[in-house]
Amino acid sequence: MTHSTNKKPVHSGKRVGILGGGTAGATIAIRLAALGLETYLFEKNKSLIDGPPMCHLHAGGNLYREIPDEDCVALLKQCIDILRLYPYTIDVRPTVFAVPTRDEGLPEDLLPRLDILTDAYRDLISQDSNNKVLGEPENYYQLYSHEQLTELAEREQVAVPSTVDEWMIPVAKYLDLSKVKFPLIVVQEYGWNIFRLAASAQLALEGDEHAHVFTDTQVKQVLPVDCENCSNADHHVTKWRIDYQQAAGSDSVSESIEVDYLINACGFRTGVIDDMVGVKVTRMVEFKSSYITHWEDNGGQIPEIIVYGNRGTPAGMAQLTPYPGGYFQIHGMSKFITLFDDGLVASSQDSAQPELPQQYVHYIEEGWDKAPLQARSQQAINHIAEFVPTFHSARTVGNALYGGQQIPGQDDTLRVADVSLYSNIRYARAENVKASSTLIAADQIVDELTALGLIDNDTPANRNRYAHEWSYLVRNNSLGIDKVARMLAEERGFPPAMADVNHGIREKTLDNLPSDKT
């Protein structure tokens, strides 16, 4: 694997510098390089998109009962959009939502929102038939009564489910039906694989002559080059200098590049760059973790299972996410599992960068200490086993998906955010709480670059984005993604099977969809 291009800049076209190679930085880089901008992407890790835990395409945001309906519709639109950019990252399987008997809420409380989402999905398909990537609108969600599940529990489990009833057989068999309210809700919210996402971004950027990727590289500082009235709060910058150092060896020297526009996509570290640039902003950062387990007694493929609960309490939401090979990722939204007592921190008057406790910074940079990782992994298993009793037989595998998540502003329930633009200094900051909003952020930056005269918006390349004619999808297929994703999983210490999907959105599915293009 080539970790960086390591080439000295030689192009004379307009240049954009992107700091941070997570989902936001990589997606923005794909978008801008496709327009012919010389795009320089800097990432401190050895590979792209190696950040906070993700596993679920929030195509409707039904995981979050507390957010507004309009945010759920926004998540639906964003997820369909990002799915069409990264189709080989998706595991097509439903998600089952259950309200526990101890909870004050009712399943019926969610139905008005689900009807709104169904209508929104239908409208998106009417605008572009290629948006029909979640199945038929009338099947977006379905309800299952206690009687239906009792009947399904008597059926033989199907190793490779092909209908919703077949997906629900293991739910009927394994979920403790005495601890949940009815009906259960089944929604077409799919799995989203971070290793395949990293592989897709890597292959997309490797194949673009305008993309220059520097991984394993530390940005030392950024400085304005052409600056008017720099001592004035409303000053103007037209060029930035990025000083960076590659970690190729102890004798590596700092190098520099000048860019016409600077994009901060540093995730939970965005405040570090804000401080360098001189931008004051209020934000929070939250350290979160999910845990990888192996469960051999599941009898075959099962859907994702969500049991609602009050965030931050011992009865916080339980989330069981399936991967191939009997591996499962667990979120438990209590402070003993996914959340941490001191894991949510805010910026100060002196700095835009919230300071996580050093222990969590150590975890992010060096890896978990074994004892607390083992303890939390076992607590995660116990959390799931309260509702899926046979999950007690699952075992820990000594790894987790974790990291710091940025949250703009002061609302820790925020789930929809995209980008902040500072036109006078040619600076943008990606503020993606959810990875699905990164393509929308890229579009807003394109609009900004157009307004600044750095690019022409009305080009075939820009129109291709809205038709989702991404050139890398022509060059790559699911087998290519498989190979790179498995390599990335192994490099990061995860079972290679976790880089696979059970049910992918195949090329023929995409190719056979009718097109509205003229």
Side-chain angles (χ1 to χ4, degrees):
M1 175 182 176
T2 302
H3 290 309
S4 68
T5 57
N6 295 333
K7 295 177 182 176
K8 292 295 290 181
V10 295
H11 298 82
S12 59
K14 295 297 183 181
R15 296 173 178 166
V16 173
I18 303 174
L19 313 182
T23 309
T27 302
I28 293 167
I30 292 170
R31 177 84 167 94
L32 299 186
L35 298 179
L37 284 164
E38 299 306 326
T39 303
Y40 294 86
L41 177 62
F42 298 90
E43 168 55 44
K44 69 176 294 185
N45 290 328
K46 293 182 178 180
S47 56
L48 301 175
I49 309 183
D50 183 8
M54 60 169 287
C55 57
H56 184 101
L57 190 74
H58 295 278
N62 294 291
L63 205 69
Y64 308 109
R65 292 184 294 179
E66 70 275 12
I67 67 175
D69 291 346
E70 55 268 28
D71 284 2
C72 290
V73 171
L75 284 170
L76 174 71
K77 294 177 179 177
Q78 292 173 4
C79 285
I80 290 173
D81 203 35
I82 204 82
L83 184 157
R84 293 180 63 186
L85 170 59
Y86 297 121
Y88 302 118
T89 66
I90 304 301
D91 196 354
V92 180
R93 49 105 188 110
T95 298
V96 178
F97 295 92
V99 178
T101 53
R102 67 189 178 199
D103 194 272
E104 295 180 356
L106 296 171
E108 290 82 1
D109 298 339
L110 303 168
L111 301 187
R113 168 186 288 179
L114 287 162
D115 288 333
I116 290 171
L117 288 166
T118 299
D119 290 341
Y121 181 38
R122 188 176 288 110
D123 287 344
L124 288 169
I125 295 170
S126 69
Q127 296 166 25
D128 181 351
S129 57
N130 293 307
N131 283 329
K132 193 167 72 173
V133 292
L134 305 174
E136 298 294 335
E138 55 268 26
N139 297 329
Y140 173 70
Y141 81 93
Q142 297 178 52
L143 307 178
Y144 277 79
S145 66
H146 187 276
E147 292 74 19
Q148 287 174 295
L149 288 162
T150 302
E151 189 274 327
L152 287 172
E154 299 301 317
R155 295 195 197 177
E156 186 174 347
Q157 187 173 348
V158 178
V160 183
S162 60
T163 67
V164 179
D165 276 0
E166 289 175 351
W167 279 110
M168 291 302 290
I169 291 172
V171 177
K173 287 180 178 293
Y174 300 133
L175 190 66
D176 187 341
L177 301 183
S178 70
K179 291 188 175 181
V180 295
K181 300 177 182 179
F182 295 91
L184 297 188
I185 302 171
V186 188
V187 183
Q188 297 307 313
E189 291 197 17
Y190 299 155
W192 200 7
N193 190 292
I194 190 170
F195 307 110
R196 301 180 74 83
L197 182 59
S200 297
Q202 177 183 313
L203 290 171
L205 291 167
E206 280 180 357
D208 195 311
E209 64 177 339
H210 300 293
H212 315 277
V213 179
F214 293 82
T215 50
D216 210 11
T217 299
Q218 181 78 43
V219 171
K220 310 300 288 186
Q221 66 176 351
V222 294
L223 295 167
V225 177
D226 295 332
C227 181
E228 297 178 12
N229 299 321
C230 269
S231 59
N232 190 305
D234 191 33
H235 66 290
H236 290 265
V237 176
T238 54
K239 281 188 184 295
W240 291 95
R241 192 186 84 202
I242 302 169
D243 295 342
Y244 62 95
Q245 186 171 12
Q246 297 179 35
S250 57
D251 59 344
S252 60
V253 297
S254 183
E255 300 181 72
S256 299
I257 181 176
E258 292 185 6
V259 297
D260 301 285
Y261 195 86
L262 182 66
I263 299 168
N264 178 357
C266 288
F268 84 95
R269 290 188 172 95
T270 54
V272 173
I273 305 301
D274 281 333
D275 286 347
M276 290 182 186
V277 169
V279 170
K280 298 292 185 182
V281 65
T282 300
R283 68 157 55 83
M284 293 180 288
V285 164
E286 185 169 30
F287 180 78
K288 297 165 68 176
S289 183
S290 62
Y291 305 88
I292 307 305
T293 62
H294 192 260
W295 184 33
E296 293 181 349
D297 304 330
N298 56 79
Q301 297 171 23
I302 72 171
E304 183 162 6
I305 299 174
I306 307 289
V307 181
Y308 288 118
N310 292 326
R311 191 180 196 274
T313 71
M317 183 188 70
Q319 181 177 0
L320 181 66
T321 305
Y323 287 79
Y327 292 97
F328 290 82
Q329 181 178 354
I330 303 174
H331 286 80
M333 302 309 288
S334 81
K335 293 183 179 179
F336 303 103
I337 304 172
T338 291
L339 307 178
F340 296 76
D341 268 328
D342 52 353
L344 181 65
V345 292
S347 55
S348 67
Q349 289 185 339
D350 298 326
S351 174
Q353 179 59 39
E355 287 192 25
L356 279 173
Q358 188 56 41
Q359 178 185 20
Y360 305 141
V361 177
H362 167 73
Y363 288 168
I364 292 169
E365 295 182 345
E366 306 295 336
W368 269 78
D369 297 334
K370 288 185 177 180
L373 174 58
Q374 171 65 25
R376 283 188 175 253
S377 296
Q378 187 59 53
Q379 288 168 332
I381 290 173
N382 297 341
H383 195 63
I384 296 295
E386 180 181 355
F387 296 96
V388 183
T390 56
F391 198 73
H392 271 301
S393 66
R395 61 177 178 84
T396 63
V397 298
N399 212 336
L401 286 163
Y402 53 89
Q405 181 182 55
Q406 68 165 325
I407 307 171
Q410 298 174 301
D411 178 8
D412 66 354
T413 69
L414 184 69
R415 294 297 176 267
V416 177
D418 33 59
V419 69
S420 289
L421 304 168
Y422 300 83
S423 304
N424 61 305
I425 58 173
R426 294 194 176 187
Y427 175 66
R429 179 179 58 251
E431 297 178 325
N432 308 105
V433 179
K434 290 299 174 189
S436 56
S437 63
T438 53
L439 190 49
I440 301 299
D443 291 338
Q444 292 179 273
I445 290 171
V446 168
D447 291 342
E448 174 79 346
L449 294 172
T450 304
L452 291 170
L454 295 175
I455 57 172
D456 181 2
N457 195 34
D458 187 24
T459 63
N462 201 41
R463 292 194 292 271
N464 285 347
R465 173 268 182 269
Y466 296 102
H468 285 282
E469 294 181 348
W470 300 99
S471 58
Y472 94 96
L473 292 176
V474 177
R475 300 189 303 268
N476 292 282
N477 56 33
S478 59
L479 294 178
I481 302 296
D482 288 346
K483 181 179 179 181
V484 177
R486 291 176 71 88
M487 180 174 62
L488 290 172
E490 288 190 89
E491 281 185 0
R492 298 175 188 181
F494 292 91
M498 288 186 63
D500 299 335
V501 293
N502 286 317
H503 299 271
I505 295 181
R506 294 176 171 82
E507 293 112 313
K508 64 181 182 182
T509 306
L510 300 170
D511 292 343
N512 289 341
L513 285 170
S515 175
D516 291 337
K517 298 191 294 291
T518 56

